[in-house]
Amino acid sequence: MWSWECFTPHPPVLVPQVGRGREEEARQSAEAMKKLGRVLGEEMPSLLLVLSPHAPFAGGITFSVAESYGGDFSMFGAPTPQFSFPGDPERGLRLAGDLFSRFPAVVSRKKKLLLDHGALVPLSFLSAGDGGRQPGIILANPIGLSPSRAFELGTYLASLADEDQWGLVASGDLSHRVTREAPAGFSPAGARFDSLVVEALRNSDPSALLRLDAGQIEEAGECGLRSALIFLGLARKRNVRLLSYEAPFGVGYAVAYAPLHAAPDLARKVLETFFAEGDARAREEAAHLSGLPEMAERAGCFVSLKKKGGLRGCIGTILPRKADLAEEIAENSLSAAFGDPRFPPVEQRELEDISITVDILSVPEAVSDTALLDPKKFGVIVEKGGARGVLLPDLEGVDTVEAQLSIAARKAGIADWHSAAVRKFSVRRVREMGRP
């Protein structure tokens, strides 16, 4: 399942050890890349598909799978820092195999591969804020795809189901011909091309880019169109965040990202629509996202609202009550905002200060031995005599099984959890990106 994707430029000058002050000339891009690292680094998936137009190329979309990847910016005068990332060759081969019947794909396999700057620049920002385990890398170069096939590839990737969490890093500069000082020479087509890409990212709409002919694309002198179109294909029906655009050296740089689980975005849209158009229209928002892969399942879920770090409302269902997860989230969002008896109803002016988390629950299972519990991994349900207390996993300050069960029992008015029935469940926690 996909967690997030980003579209990034790759000028080495953005890296402080290379820029040595010149990164200030691309301040908007540098700041946007730092923000990207902060936002996405908090939700680092286990696997990254990295698209670079400067990676090894042998036709179509070329996969370069390796057991490990590394590199530095020595060719740009900065031998340190050095970077190292684990590969996942088996998963890379499997992904390429999934594409073979639909897209032109070439695969090479190596033990170790040096990363080009197209991959290394965004990875240096994404890994800077993550002190934990590095994600596995799968490297690919998409420049052999036609624009329409690149967009189709993105939409196809969205349909691939996998038990692990994935991220897409789509690297590409825009036109190299935007201004008179541009390295590839000036062309009026440069700024026009960049404006089309920016609008496509802003509106999550590739149609204008797909109407460009080969001559217009060549005149723009770009290297990021295929990466952008794959990004847009994967982002279809989703909320893209455009962080910045500038062309400080005559080369266009755009930074954008999109969360690829729609749960928090749906919850926010439901609340915004409630205030703007009423309850009935708010509930209809679920239908707009029901077709997304992650919304097709039926599952219980909890919607939690936090305001400046403090809980503002939390309501959920242990087992599904609605036709699909989208409807479940819509219903529980309204309940969390307006039906939690611990808090007054949320007011419209508060929405900007509220962050949203959606916990999607597995089917609960009975627990015969508390040694099978882990408060960081599993939530619990404590039941006795018709009373039921529920506590989600991985809550701040709840570090022991004893504490977790005691709190759940207390919520239900159960005096002693030792004589109660206990069930456990796991959750997939989806946080709203870019909010505290």
Side-chain angles (χ1 to χ4, degrees):
M1 187 70 71
W2 293 94
S3 295
W4 50 254
E5 63 171 342
C6 59
F7 178 75
T8 75
H10 50 241
V13 72
L14 292 182
V15 179
Q17 292 87 345
V18 176
R20 298 177 185 177
R22 286 203 71 201
E23 65 271 19
E24 288 298 310
E25 299 177 52
R27 178 188 290 270
Q28 293 181 50
S29 300
E31 290 303 314
M33 293 291 281
K34 291 175 186 175
K35 180 175 181 178
L36 204 65
R38 290 192 301 271
V39 171
L40 302 186
E42 293 178 355
E43 304 289 339
M44 188 62 70
S46 54
L47 290 162
L48 291 180
L49 174 59
V50 180
L51 305 177
S52 169
H54 300 290
F57 178 69
I61 179 169
T62 301
F63 287 87
S64 299
V65 297
E67 294 179 17
S68 65
Y69 299 90
D72 57 36
F73 294 102
S74 292
M75 66 182 298
F76 302 100
T80 59
Q82 296 185 336
F83 298 90
S84 178
F85 302 92
D88 194 330
E90 297 307 319
R91 199 66 60 88
L93 292 171
R94 195 184 315 159
L95 175 60
D98 287 336
L99 303 184
F100 276 141
S101 63
R102 296 170 178 263
F103 302 94
V106 179
V107 180
S108 67
R109 183 168 184 173
K110 297 181 181 295
K111 189 171 182 65
K112 184 172 183 178
L113 187 70
L114 290 177
L115 292 169
D116 62 278
H117 69 279
L120 206 51
V121 170
L123 287 175
S124 70
F125 283 92
L126 291 171
S127 62
D130 180 34
R133 178 182 56 84
Q134 293 280 28
I137 300 294
I138 298 168
L139 180 67
N141 186 334
I143 62 171
L145 299 174
S146 69
S148 61
R149 295 294 274 161
F151 179 70
E152 289 171 20
L153 175 59
T155 61
Y156 181 69
L157 288 175
S159 70
L160 295 181
D162 194 294
E163 61 185 18
D164 289 313
Q165 299 305 307
W166 287 68
L168 175 72
V169 179
S171 174
D173 294 341
L174 304 187
S175 172
H176 290 64
R177 309 188 69 184
V178 179
T179 61
R180 300 288 175 188
E181 67 270 20
F186 171 72
S187 171
R192 287 198 297 269
F193 174 85
D194 281 14
S195 68
L196 292 178
V197 175
V198 168
E199 285 306 301
L201 294 171
R202 182 174 285 125
N203 300 318
S204 195
D205 180 3
S207 54
L209 296 179
L210 293 173
R211 289 194 294 268
L212 293 171
D213 61 39
Q216 291 172 308
I217 295 169
E218 183 177 1
E219 181 65 18
E222 55 76 38
C223 76
L225 178 60
R226 276 76 177 173
S227 291
L229 285 167
I230 293 172
F231 173 95
L232 288 164
L234 188 54
R236 203 158 63 97
K237 291 189 176 182
R238 301 179 189 277
N239 185 7
V240 174
R241 280 78 158 170
L242 178 67
L243 298 183
S244 70
Y245 169 78
E246 62 179 341
F249 310 111
V251 180
Y253 304 146
V255 182
Y257 76 96
L260 293 179
H261 199 298
D265 278 354
L266 171 59
R268 180 168 293 278
K269 185 64 175 177
V270 166
L271 298 181
E272 290 174 343
T273 304
F274 175 88
F275 286 115
E277 302 179 57
D279 183 82
R281 285 285 294 114
R283 295 174 192 276
E284 291 174 10
E285 290 298 329
H288 299 156
L289 299 179
S290 294
L292 293 176
E294 71 272 23
M295 293 295 181
E297 65 176 318
R298 295 188 71 229
C301 72
F302 276 71
V303 176
S304 301
L305 312 178
K306 285 191 173 183
K307 181 179 178 181
K308 298 180 180 178
L311 188 65
R312 186 62 180 84
C314 179
I315 295 288
T317 45
I318 298 170
L319 296 173
R321 298 178 180 176
K322 300 296 181 180
D324 56 36
L325 182 58
E327 285 191 29
E328 203 80 26
I329 291 169
E331 181 71 25
N332 292 344
S333 300
L334 293 168
S335 296
F338 309 115
D340 190 329
R342 298 169 294 178
F343 304 96
V346 169
E347 298 180 17
Q348 185 173 12
R349 60 183 172 80
E350 295 182 84
L351 279 184
E352 186 59 32
D353 295 323
I354 285 175
S355 62
I356 302 174
T357 299
V358 179
D359 287 292
I360 302 163
L361 277 60
S362 68
V363 176
E365 57 182 278
V367 174
S368 57
D369 186 344
T370 57
L372 300 173
L373 296 176
D374 180 342
K376 295 298 181 185
K377 184 177 180 181
F378 299 113
V380 294
I381 305 165
V382 179
E383 297 173 293
K384 184 178 180 180
R388 180 174 66 192
V390 181
L391 202 67
L392 296 171
D394 197 21
L395 298 179
E396 186 177 354
V398 183
D399 300 317
T400 67
V401 170
E402 176 79 25
Q404 185 184 42
L405 292 172
S406 296
I407 295 170
R410 190 162 60 247
K411 289 175 67 177
I414 298 171
D416 183 8
W417 64 262
H418 292 87
S419 59
V422 176
R423 289 186 289 165
K424 69 176 182 178
F425 57 88
S426 59
V427 306
R428 174 161 185 217
R429 180 161 292 162
V430 189
R431 296 180 177 87
E432 191 172 22
M433 291 185 176
R435 290 182 179 270

